[in-house]
Amino acid sequence: MPRPDANSHIREAAESLLSTVSNPNYRTISHSQSVNIVSEELVAGHRPQGRMSTVRRFFCLFVTFDLLFTGLMWLICVMMRGETLEQIFDREIVHYNVKTSLFDVVLLAITRFTTLLLFYALLYINNWSVIALSTGGTCAFLMAKVFVFDWPNAAQPVYQVFLILTSFTISWSEAWFLDFRVLPQELQAKEILECITSHGNAVTCERTPLISAHRTAPHSTFGESTVNWFSPVDTPEASPRPKRPGETVILTQDQIEEYISQAEESLTNSWRVINMENWHLEKRGQHGDVVESKKTEFGKVYRFTGVVECPPQFLFKEFRDNLQRLPEWNPTILKSEMIKEIAPGIDLSYQVTAGGGGGIIAPRDFIILRRTAALSRDGLVVEDETPYAYISSGKSVQVPGYPPCPKMVR
């Protein structure tokens, strides 16, 4: 069960544990003990499987909007004269004059579109220099355009002024969005993933030999020691050193029994809290989703109820057996891996979630002791008979080989 942080209610709401309860009438009801308010803005910087991040894709879409909107405004300006398309093409493009034509503003938008998509979409650079040159060049040209344009003879000066101001504003918006949204969010997501990757690697400086094995001293028989030297004894598994890749976590019998006891306790508490009465309504969605809250001995607990059109047994098995696939459909989870199965329906897993709230909520990782089971109406675990509900409860624990990461909140 999640415990509240006395220093921050935001942290209490962010540290959510997923708990699923379903009814066997092919309508599944999900209950979450707390609300995950992870910000989508920070998750948008993540590049799943090396693809373009969501925030950069939005930037490319905005650059495309810049081109289309500028072209539309130019068409409105020239069509207000009442000329045909042939006359407009001849006057604005074929016989272009910087003092009377505004087609150069469209060419400027085309140049920005081509340059920005080339460097930030195809080449995928992470530097602000290109957008700085693009915005600076746009502003310089538009300011010069204002001085040389023949305003007294302009047919509709209001639309033409609006076209120039629009191009000026959008170019600065692109620079601001890239420098203050795209690059920082991608950098933060990269740091989080690097921390996750390095978390499982062994940091074994104390085991690194002081003299490299590839460098051998010249053979000498003078002053050789007759003492037999031995390497230090291996660090026991209970010490908080990082787990090596592919290494199995070894637990003692006492640890296994303690984990089983905690898992059964979390299942009992989860089932009891879920079935409490007098929940306070927090929010109701358009599709019947309901978020409720209640103060319990564990602190303030949130319960989410929704309907999923699929067999409850299928959904239960998806949660139970495909833990590693959580990041594929839940964008707030950056990593999910199975650590060890303790007993039937009891396992240990490691998950990492992104930060949120503009930096208020730091990225965090969890070591979750999970208990999954099918229950009867009285909340007893059943195996053979038709269950009344399925449940997945979780509790934060400590596991050897998974020490806290400095860049995340455990």
Side-chain angles (χ1 to χ4, degrees):
M1 297 294 292
R3 300 185 177 276
D5 189 339
N7 297 327
S8 173
H9 293 290
I10 298 178
R11 184 172 296 177
E12 168 193 337
E15 295 174 350
S16 63
L17 296 176
L18 183 61
S19 176
T20 302
V21 177
S22 55
N23 229 332
N25 59 352
Y26 289 91
R27 285 157 43 101
T28 303
I29 303 175
S30 289
H31 299 273
S32 177
Q33 297 178 9
S34 61
V35 172
N36 192 340
I37 57 175
V38 174
S39 172
E40 294 184 0
E41 294 181 356
L42 300 182
V43 180
H46 174 50
R47 296 183 60 187
Q49 299 178 356
R51 297 193 299 267
M52 183 180 295
S53 65
T54 303
V55 66
R56 187 174 291 241
R57 191 161 58 246
F58 180 84
F59 171 76
C60 296
L61 183 64
F62 186 64
V63 172
T64 306
F65 167 79
D66 173 18
L67 173 62
L68 298 178
F69 187 76
T70 304
L72 178 62
M73 284 300 305
W74 174 76
L75 285 175
I76 293 176
C77 290
V78 296
M79 293 296 290
M80 293 300 295
R81 291 176 173 266
E83 299 176 336
T84 63
L85 291 178
E86 294 180 358
Q87 292 174 331
I88 293 173
F89 182 81
D90 182 73
R91 179 175 53 84
E92 291 281 330
I93 301 177
V94 177
H95 298 90
Y96 165 78
N97 190 323
V98 69
K99 296 182 179 181
T100 58
S101 175
L102 288 174
F103 186 71
D104 46 16
V105 179
V106 180
L107 291 177
L108 200 61
I110 295 175
T111 303
R112 285 199 305 272
F113 172 81
T114 305
T115 303
L116 296 181
L117 289 191
L118 172 64
F119 284 95
Y120 293 109
L122 297 180
L123 300 181
Y124 217 95
I125 69 171
N126 295 309
N127 191 281
W128 52 266
S129 58
V130 176
I131 192 72
L133 293 174
S134 172
T135 304
T138 298
C139 295
F141 179 84
L142 292 177
M143 293 178 66
K145 181 74 175 180
V146 171
F147 285 103
V148 301
F149 190 73
D150 189 8
W151 295 105
N153 296 323
Q156 295 290 339
V158 175
Y159 294 100
Q160 295 162 346
V161 169
F162 186 74
L163 173 61
I164 294 178
L165 290 178
T166 298
S167 182
F168 182 88
T169 304
I170 292 181
S171 64
W172 274 101
S173 300
E174 292 168 349
W176 174 86
F177 187 78
L178 180 77
D179 199 23
F180 289 90
R181 284 291 181 268
V182 178
L183 299 183
Q185 289 181 21
E186 289 185 342
L187 178 61
Q188 184 182 30
K190 181 181 178 181
E191 291 178 350
I192 295 173
L193 292 177
E194 288 178 351
C195 184
I196 295 172
T197 304
S198 62
H199 188 277
N201 297 332
V203 182
T204 54
C205 298
E206 70 277 4
R207 292 177 177 78
T208 304
L210 297 179
I211 301 179
S212 173
H214 299 286
R215 299 174 58 186
T216 56
H219 178 72
S220 173
T221 57
F222 179 77
E224 289 185 354
S225 174
T226 59
V227 179
N228 293 325
W229 297 96
F230 299 93
S231 300
V233 179
D234 289 343
T235 304
E237 286 295 332
S239 67
R241 67 164 176 81
K243 182 178 71 70
R244 298 185 182 94
E247 182 181 18
T248 303
V249 174
I250 300 176
L251 302 175
T252 64
Q253 186 61 34
D254 292 340
Q255 289 175 322
I256 294 176
E257 293 178 356
E258 177 64 22
Y259 284 142
I260 294 177
S261 175
Q262 294 183 33
E264 297 295 343
E265 181 184 3
S266 76
L267 183 142
T268 303
N269 290 332
S270 299
W271 179 252
R272 178 173 57 83
V273 171
I274 284 173
N275 291 279
M276 285 182 176
E277 299 179 350
N278 301 323
W279 288 81
H280 172 69
L281 178 64
E282 295 281 347
K283 185 178 181 181
R284 185 181 301 275
Q286 297 179 353
H287 303 286
D289 313 347
V290 178
V291 179
E292 301 167 297
S293 64
K294 185 177 180 62
K295 292 184 178 180
T296 68
E297 67 269 28
F298 305 102
K300 189 174 183 180
V301 176
Y302 292 88
R303 182 175 72 177
F304 168 74
T305 305
V307 177
V308 180
E309 296 296 337
C310 74
Q313 187 177 14
F314 169 81
L315 188 61
F316 173 69
K317 288 182 178 180
E318 181 68 22
F319 276 108
R320 183 190 62 187
D321 302 334
N322 296 320
L323 183 71
Q324 293 85 348
R325 295 177 54 184
L326 278 178
E328 297 180 9
W329 56 267
N330 189 347
T332 64
I333 297 180
L334 300 181
K335 182 178 183 179
S336 178
E337 67 176 24
M338 179 69 67
I339 298 178
K340 189 179 186 65
E341 184 176 1
I342 304 294
I346 303 177
D347 54 51
L348 293 166
S349 62
Y350 175 71
Q351 295 181 9
V352 178
T353 63
I360 299 178
I361 302 175
R364 53 199 60 225
D365 62 348
F366 300 87
I367 302 293
I368 300 177
L369 173 65
R370 189 177 61 152
R371 177 69 167 106
T372 57
L375 302 182
S376 65
R377 184 178 294 272
D378 298 328
L380 302 177
V381 178
V382 294
E383 299 292 342
D384 300 329
E385 59 184 277
T386 303
Y388 169 74
Y390 297 99
I391 186 169
S392 173
S393 65
K395 180 177 182 179
S396 179
V397 294
Q398 294 182 358
V399 173
Y402 284 84
C405 181
K407 295 183 180 179
M408 290 180 285
V409 175
R410 172 61 58 86

